[in-house]
Amino acid sequence: MTEIIIRPFTAASFDQYLAESKLMASRCEDCGELTLPPRAICPKCHSEKMTWTETSGKGKLAGFTVISIAPTFMIEQGYGRNNPYVSGIVELDEGVKVSAHINGLDATQPAEIKVGTPLAVDFVTFGEGDNAKTYLAFKAV
Ligand SMILES: [Zn+2]
């Protein structure tokens, strides 16, 4: 018999899936609404019958901003005034939107960045060993 472990619909579970290179959303069994980040309760019909669903990780850039005044965490990764980065809203092929760091676009040339650019999920890990943490990002394809 296969034991099926259903992870709780929390940020910790979502991060754990990211570390396994899976972009997981929650799907409502009652109305079919897909939610990302996942939620334990459907935001549309308030059902609690949610299931984990792996997304394709493919989508397109729906909107973006270039950040040069970075939060501390991003400054620690080398970003900032002299090395801006792109933060975007990605519309996945499944129709759900999520905000994430976008790699592979030239943040110093924002006028060249096009809404609609095809993107694929990119799992970015910072730190090592027990301190390693995987973050959701996307990259231009
Ligand atoms: Zn629902």
Side-chain angles (χ1 to χ4, degrees):
M1 228 177 97
T2 309
E3 188 185 359
I4 299 170
I5 298 163
I6 298 174
R7 297 182 191 175
F9 295 94
T10 60
S13 299
F14 181 69
D15 288 350
Q16 195 179 349
Y17 277 125
L18 290 181
E20 296 166 11
S21 296
K22 289 178 182 162
L23 176 55
M24 301 293 285
S26 56
R27 185 180 292 283
C28 173
E29 288 184 19
D30 284 332
C31 77
E33 180 82 355
L34 197 66
T35 317
L36 187 69
R39 302 227 194 125
I41 295 170
C42 176
K44 195 170 172 189
C45 76
H46 309 293
S47 168
E48 292 180 24
K49 282 197 255 166
M50 305 298 278
T51 53
W52 286 104
T53 308
E54 186 172 2
T55 71
S56 65
K58 294 191 175 73
K60 60 180 194 276
L61 189 64
F64 69 94
T65 184
V66 168
I67 297 174
S68 54
I69 310 298
T72 306
F73 170 77
M74 293 306 279
I75 291 171
E76 287 169 358
Q77 312 308 323
Y79 294 100
R81 208 176 290 268
N82 297 319
N83 185 23
Y85 64 96
V86 178
S87 180
I89 303 292
V90 181
E91 183 175 358
L92 292 178
D93 288 354
E94 289 85 353
V96 68
K97 289 186 178 125
V98 63
S99 70
H101 181 185
I102 315 290
N103 291 312
L105 299 173
D106 186 355
T108 65
Q109 303 289 336
E112 302 297 315
I113 298 172
K114 301 274 186 291
V115 164
T117 298
L119 301 170
V121 68
D122 191 14
F123 302 97
V124 178
T125 303
F126 293 122
E128 287 173 26
D130 289 345
N131 294 320
K133 186 165 189 255
T134 305
Y135 293 87
L136 175 63
F138 284 81
K139 61 187 171 197
V141 289

